[in-house]
Amino acid sequence: MEEKNKNVTQIILEVVEEMCDKYCKYSDQAKANDDLWTEHCDNCPLNKL
């Protein structure tokens, strides 16, 4: 999708996904362990966006 055709919600979701995949220190661990997913990812402050 072209950048100019995206709405604010789509852009926010892309940023959250990029932060999780590239910057979060728990991301790789959480993908392999459901308990860590619940502990860290479900409580991530980016979910408030």
Side-chain angles (χ1 to χ4, degrees):
M1 183 176 286
E2 289 184 35
E3 191 71 33
K4 63 183 173 183
N5 291 332
K6 293 180 183 177
N7 62 37
V8 174
T9 303
Q10 291 169 321
I11 294 169
I12 290 172
L13 291 173
E14 285 180 3
V15 170
V16 169
E17 183 178 335
E18 183 174 348
M19 291 300 295
C20 178
D21 291 342
K22 295 183 179 178
Y23 300 99
C24 178
K25 66 181 182 180
Y26 302 110
S27 180
D28 290 335
Q29 298 168 355
K31 288 175 184 173
N33 184 323
D34 287 340
D35 291 336
L36 283 175
W37 184 268
T38 301
E39 181 180 347
H40 296 292
C41 301
D42 284 350
N43 296 314
C44 178
L46 291 175
N47 290 330
K48 294 177 183 177
L49 298 176

